[in-house]
Amino acid sequence: MARLCMPDGACRGIDVQGAQTGATTAYTPGRDGTVTVDNPQHERALRAYGAFPANLGGRTRGGYRCTTCGFGSFFKKCGRCGAACSRDDEHSGKSDSDENRT
């Protein structure tokens, strides 16, 4: 299952016709501007039209990352799966130049 953004804000939806049955599936964006696509062939067709994957997770700054599912959080307990989160190494204050010094 993929969440895609439509190619343009003015795009109200895209209809994809199935190759085997000829049935048409309409993909209309929700309030957040994204569509959920379950069919991999329809995902490829929408990407060919110019749709792109939505960045729903974003980047956490100074937060924690779940050790089980990888979800970004500002709390030590994951809000998605309930597992423990650890400090995100990428934002722990170390720079790449500190680690590469000899």
Side-chain angles (χ1 to χ4, degrees), residues 23 43 49 75:
E43 180 183 351
Y49 284 130
F75 304 101

Side-chain angles (χ1 to χ4, degrees), residues 43-93:
E43 180 183 351
R44 274 186 251 130
L46 289 172
R47 286 183 184 225
Y49 284 130
F52 54 94
N55 184 8
L56 300 174
R59 188 173 174 190
T60 60
R61 231 183 139 92
Y64 298 89
R65 183 133 331 251
C66 179
T67 55
T68 306
C69 69
F71 186 69
S73 176
F74 290 105
F75 304 101
K76 291 184 179 182
K77 184 176 179 182
C78 180
R80 182 179 287 169
C81 70
C85 295
S86 64
R87 185 59 83 174
D88 195 0
D89 294 334
E90 185 176 315
H91 305 290
S92 65

Side-chain angles (χ1 to χ4, degrees), residues 59 89-102:
R59 188 173 174 190
D89 294 334
E90 185 176 315
H91 305 290
S92 65
K94 293 182 183 177
S95 67
D96 291 335
S97 60
D98 292 340
E99 294 175 2
N100 294 333
R101 289 188 183 162
T102 57

